Amino acid sequence: MDVPSWLEIIIRSTILVFVLFLLTKFLGKKQLSHLSFFEYVAGITIGSIAAEISTGLDGNFMNGIYSLLVWTAIPFIAGLIALKSKKARNFIEGTSTVVIKDGKIQEENLTKEQYSVDELMQLLRKKNAFQVADVEFAVLEANGDLNVLLKKEKQPITPSDLQLDTAPEKVPQTVILEGEIMDAALAASGLTRAWLELELAKLNVAIDNVYVGQVDSFGQLTVDIYDDKVKIPEPKPKQSLLSALKKCQADLESYSLQTDSEEAKQMYKRNAKRMEQIILKTEHLLIKG
């Protein structure tokens, strides 16, 4: 019984989907995240062969499969060789090229890579570098990415430059999602439902109207609501500071209960008491926002 051509195409295509999936898995994740020129050419060819096998009813199906296996094996073997030999790796995957050094464009290297000055400037702007003179070093990687090192005086100031100690940032926790309270995220932030309800009351927002609610590392709640026409009050810095002080005091008291060390317990209690005194002295100034 002859199989209709449309049914044969469906069968071939279905088989090829699984074959290509297995071959891609065989080559590894590198095929998805970082293609060398060699792998790029192989990928195009494999796709063309698969399309021809899928619709070419006059050709031999198994011959096409053999061709796919060959084109898959070639980049795989080339990758193994590249792992063993740096020279082979440089040839197959390419090497990085310095295009700017000490604020000066390396014209010969730029020409060698067949990049124009306009293309270089476009890549620099993507790295927030708008002047060549601001760049200490720029390297064009083998995959076409440009990595830029700004001159020291042009780099943004960091707390370490000022010799300042900073508290570690915590991942923001999504405590409300589509009107539902995420208790696990709330607990991870060290907060309660009562606190959340109080914060929502301050914003005059019903929980059913909250699409997404998040708490940052400072205990500040921000919400995105369904009704975009409703304006959410902006957080007040002084009130936020007061909330942070109270949270700090609560954390110290909590730590004193959790530790088994008597010395640490007394230290936490002592500092919690100091924090309480600071809050009592400043609350009347911060409560007004």
Side-chain angles (χ1 to χ4, degrees), residues 100-225:
I100 299 178
K101 186 177 181 181
D102 298 330
K104 301 292 184 181
I105 297 176
Q106 307 299 296
E107 291 86 356
E108 292 183 2
N109 291 345
L110 199 63
T111 302
K112 176 184 174 183
E113 297 296 334
Q114 298 182 2
Y115 270 75
S116 67
V117 176
D118 289 336
E119 289 172 327
L120 176 62
M121 295 303 296
Q122 182 181 5
L123 292 175
L124 286 173
R125 288 193 292 272
K126 289 182 178 180
K127 300 293 184 178
N128 291 325
F130 290 84
Q131 284 191 324
V132 176
D134 294 343
V135 179
E136 181 73 31
F137 204 71
V139 179
L140 187 64
E141 304 294 351
N143 64 351
D145 287 341
L146 184 71
N147 287 320
V148 176
L149 176 66
L150 295 175
K151 291 183 176 179
K152 191 67 176 178
E153 63 272 17
K154 298 297 181 179
Q155 294 178 14
I157 296 176
T158 63
S160 61
D161 293 329
L162 302 176
Q163 298 181 345
L164 297 176
D165 294 329
T166 57
E169 286 283 342
K170 296 180 181 178
V171 177
Q173 296 287 341
T174 301
V175 295
I176 303 175
L177 189 62
E178 297 181 350
E180 297 290 334
I181 297 176
M182 303 289 104
D183 289 305
L186 201 61
S189 300
L191 302 170
T192 64
R193 283 195 170 215
W195 174 88
L196 183 60
E197 292 170 359
L198 179 62
E199 293 300 310
L200 289 174
K202 291 179 182 177
L203 297 174
N204 196 25
V205 173
I207 191 169
D208 293 339
N209 196 27
V210 177
Y211 185 56
V212 176
Q214 292 184 304
V215 175
D216 61 20
S217 57
F218 300 103
Q220 179 68 47
L221 175 68
T222 56
V223 297
D224 182 273
I225 61 177

Side-chain angles (χ1 to χ4, degrees), residues 227-279:
D227 190 353
D228 294 332
K229 295 180 180 180
V230 176
K231 298 295 183 181
I232 302 297
E234 292 292 330
K236 298 181 179 180
K238 289 184 179 180
Q239 290 184 350
S240 298
L241 175 57
L242 180 60
S243 299
L245 290 174
K246 289 184 177 180
K247 185 175 185 301
C248 184
Q249 180 198 2
D251 287 342
L252 289 169
E253 291 176 347
S254 176
Y255 296 154
S256 69
L257 297 174
Q258 295 174 11
T259 183
D260 294 329
S261 170
E262 187 62 31
E263 182 180 355
K265 187 184 297 289
Q266 294 303 320
M267 183 269 291
Y268 285 132
K269 286 184 176 180
R270 185 168 58 252
N271 285 290
K273 191 66 177 178
R274 290 177 180 174
M275 188 62 66
E276 182 182 11
Q277 292 173 353
I278 292 173
I279 292 172

